[in-house]
Amino acid sequence: MGLMLSCAFATDLDTHEHVRIAESLGYQRAWLYDSPALYPDVWVQLCRAAERTERIGLGPGVLVPSNRHPLITASAIATLVDIAGAERVVIGVGSGFTARMALGQRALPWAGVRRYVLAVRALLRGESVDWDGAQIEMLHTARCAPPRPIEVPFVIAAAGPKGIAAARDIGDGVFGAPMPIGDFDWSVVLAFGTVLRSDEAPGSDRSVAAAGHAAATMFHFGTEHGLLEQLMPGDLAGQWTAAYQAVPEDRRHLEMHRGHLVEVNEVDAPFVSGSLLAGTGLALDREGWRAKLAELEQGGATEVAYQPAGPDIPGELEAFASVFGA
């Protein structure tokens, strides 16, 4: 298998320790989500992880431009580089799925993402950039940041033709979910779910706790992109939609994202079953996962970023690494 094994974390207060465990298990990179409405600050957690590890690559997966001024991002990157070294740092950037929709906003236009990435890269090179009608520049002295230029790769989380075009133009690689984006030398794909233990049913309490969040995320993605009926079998789509119609409209985006990629919330719970987890490839045995990994590689993936969840994240990391052969 030519795939690189990495991991992704819906960041919590213990993520720095989980990254350390991932390094010991052979994971080569750790991506940390950047959704301020849901998780601790991504840069704080990345720096904590950097101080506790030696080799594993580190980066936000993925930043959303509207969250921070480009100079704030450039300064944060420089801080992580100072701790971990540039060779361990990679920066993911996207137009905003969870990070913006949890705030009741839609994704950003790709033109704005392009401008932001180009500005951050220029700042890291030590250049001046025109932003909001004024010149900005990293004024950090030698005691405040590594010397410029600071060279780190950027991976673009793409969706649709405009996103893929942006990844080709301004990125060093592409980040896709749940399927890989082909024809890139560096194509990361996000993988969710759990490895079923010996003789375990997909609907076991442990399996639902470890993989149910991913099924719920499919519902959210489907409704936000007009794909719900394609993703949910039978009349499940209508029932799930009706459940959220009972939530006041001005709070619907909040309740939909409660527990996002961490646990199944109260509204989603009745719709997450063992048959759904098995049918969507989120609860598979070892052979099932090996077949899925081969399919992802055939589809163009060069790196699989596995996101563990549930009450035993170290156990999920270990199970997936053993399937991968790390």
Side-chain angles (χ1 to χ4, degrees):
M1 186 181 298
L3 290 170
M4 174 178 169
L5 175 61
S6 64
C7 49
F9 292 101
T11 316
D12 62 30
L13 297 176
D14 293 323
T15 294
H16 57 283
E17 175 62 15
H18 297 151
V19 173
R20 186 192 65 78
I21 293 170
E23 180 180 73
S24 73
L25 291 169
Y27 288 84
Q28 297 180 57
R29 191 177 352 264
W31 301 90
L32 273 59
Y33 297 163
D34 179 28
S35 292
L38 291 157
Y39 316 126
D41 183 82
V42 67
W43 291 108
V44 171
Q45 296 301 79
L46 282 166
C47 289
R48 294 178 78 190
E51 291 177 336
R52 289 161 173 79
T53 55
E54 297 178 357
R55 300 175 303 278
I56 193 167
L58 295 165
V62 297
L63 299 181
V64 180
S66 58
N67 286 353
R68 298 173 189 84
H69 189 282
L71 193 45
I72 296 174
T73 295
S75 181
I77 293 170
T79 304
L80 181 60
V81 165
D82 181 64
I83 299 171
E87 69 281 355
R88 290 178 61 192
V89 175
V90 59
I91 308 301
V93 182
S95 62
F97 173 42
T98 305
R100 285 185 59 80
M101 291 181 176
L103 303 178
Q105 305 297 322
R106 305 300 297 177
L108 294 168
W110 277 105
V113 177
R114 285 173 179 265
R115 181 169 175 256
Y116 187 88
V117 171
L118 292 174
V120 173
R121 300 192 87 158
L123 291 169
L124 291 172
R125 289 194 298 268
E127 300 171 10
S128 295
V129 172
D130 184 77
W131 197 265
D132 290 339
Q135 289 289 303
I136 59 172
E137 185 179 328
M138 292 187 71
L139 303 177
H140 304 66
T141 64
R143 295 178 60 187
C144 296
R148 273 69 70 197
I150 298 171
E151 297 288 347
V152 292
F154 279 67
V155 172
I156 307 301
K162 292 182 179 179
I164 294 172
R168 295 194 189 284
D169 291 346
I170 62 173
D172 301 287
V174 68
F175 203 123
M179 296 301 294
I181 298 171
D183 298 324
F184 279 81
D185 293 336
W186 184 3
S187 179
V188 187
V189 62
L190 190 59
F192 306 102
T194 190
V195 181
L196 294 174
R197 302 337 187 221
S198 179
D199 299 323
E200 183 182 24
S204 71
D205 290 345
R206 190 212 63 80
S207 177
V208 171
H213 72 289
T217 299
M218 288 184 1
F219 305 162
H220 305 166
F221 181 90
T223 192
E224 289 161 350
H225 293 81
L227 301 172
L228 188 60
E229 293 184 358
Q230 299 177 36
L231 296 174
M232 299 182 74
D235 61 353
L236 207 57
Q239 295 174 21
W240 181 86
T241 300
Y244 271 102
Q245 291 295 327
V247 178
E249 186 175 0
D250 64 342
R251 293 194 56 81
R252 205 167 291 159
H253 64 284
L254 300 175
E255 298 310 317
M256 188 176 293
H257 288 90
R258 197 174 298 279
H260 185 80
L261 291 174
V262 175
E263 61 188 27
V264 183
N265 66 41
E266 292 182 1
V267 181
D268 293 332
F271 303 96
V272 177
S273 64
S275 59
L276 181 66
L277 294 180
T280 51
L282 297 173
L284 301 171
D285 60 18
R286 293 168 64 88
E287 292 307 313
W289 271 108
R290 287 195 178 104
K292 184 172 182 176
L293 290 171
E295 180 183 350
L296 294 175
E297 186 173 17
Q298 187 175 11
T302 63
E303 177 180 341
V304 170
Y306 171 65
Q307 191 233 300
D312 183 17
I313 288 178
E316 298 300 309
L317 287 168
E318 183 174 3
F320 196 81
S322 68
V323 167
F324 201 92

